[in-house]
Amino acid sequence: MKKIVKLSLVCAILLSGISTYAIDGNGNGNDDFNLHVLKANGKIITFALNQVQKASLSIYDKNGSLIYSENASGKEGILRTFSLEEFPAGIYFLEVEDSVKKVRHEITITDDASVLSTKAVSSSYKADTTAKNASVAVR
C-alpha cells in the first residue's frame, strides 16, 4: 500500500512538472521564437533566435514607423548585434517574422542604455493560404 501511495505521489509531481513546462512554451521552439538576449553593453544589444533559420527582422518606433529592416538567416539560428547609439531615448519594437508567425519585443532606450525584452509583447500566427475557399459554420 505504501508503495502505491509513493508511486502515485511521484507520478503526480512528474505530471505537474511536465504541464508547467508545457505552459511556459519554451519546450521545443515551435510555440514561440526563443529570443535570448546574450549581451547588453550600453546601447549595443546582442540577441539570438534559436531554431529559426530564416526570418525578417524589423525595428519600429512607438508610432509604428519602420526604422530598420533586414532578412536574416542561419543554419541553427540567428545571431544579431544592433548598435542603437543613434536612436533617441524612447520605446521601440523589434518584430521577428517567419513563414508561420510574427512576434514583437519591446526595446527601451534611455540616455545611456538599451533593454530588449525577452518576453514578447504580441504574437500572431499567419493565416493558412491553402484554406481560402473553405467554409465555416457558425452555431
Side-chain angles (χ1 to χ4, degrees), residues 32-33 35 58 60-62 91-96 101-108 115-124:
D32 200 358
F33 296 118
L35 184 136
S58 304
Y60 294 89
D61 67 7
K62 66 179 175 182
I91 303 292
Y92 298 86
F93 296 96
L94 171 67
E95 188 173 274
V96 180
K101 191 172 183 179
K102 184 188 303 186
V103 179
R104 289 188 119 188
H105 293 268
E106 186 176 273
I107 302 171
T108 304
V115 176
L116 173 61
S117 69
T118 56
K119 184 117 171 119
V121 293
S122 70
S123 62
S124 60

Side-chain angles (χ1 to χ4, degrees), residues 78-99:
I78 297 171
L79 178 66
R80 282 292 178 270
T81 299
F82 286 137
S83 174
L84 306 172
E85 294 173 347
E86 301 296 321
F87 286 42
I91 303 292
Y92 298 86
F93 296 96
L94 171 67
E95 188 173 274
V96 180
E97 181 176 358
D98 71 357
S99 60

Side-chain angles (χ1 to χ4, degrees), residues 31-79:
D31 295 348
D32 200 358
F33 296 118
N34 291 323
L35 184 136
H36 301 281
V37 179
L38 302 176
K39 191 170 30 172
N41 184 8
K43 289 191 175 185
I44 298 173
I45 56 171
T46 301
F47 64 92
L49 295 165
N50 295 339
Q51 300 178 0
V52 177
Q53 283 76 36
K54 290 183 181 181
S56 171
L57 306 175
S58 304
I59 297 177
Y60 294 89
D61 67 7
K62 66 179 175 182
N63 298 322
S65 300
L66 179 65
I67 296 173
Y68 175 81
S69 180
E70 76 168 288
N71 291 320
S73 62
K75 268 187 168 181
E76 295 179 13
I78 297 171
L79 178 66

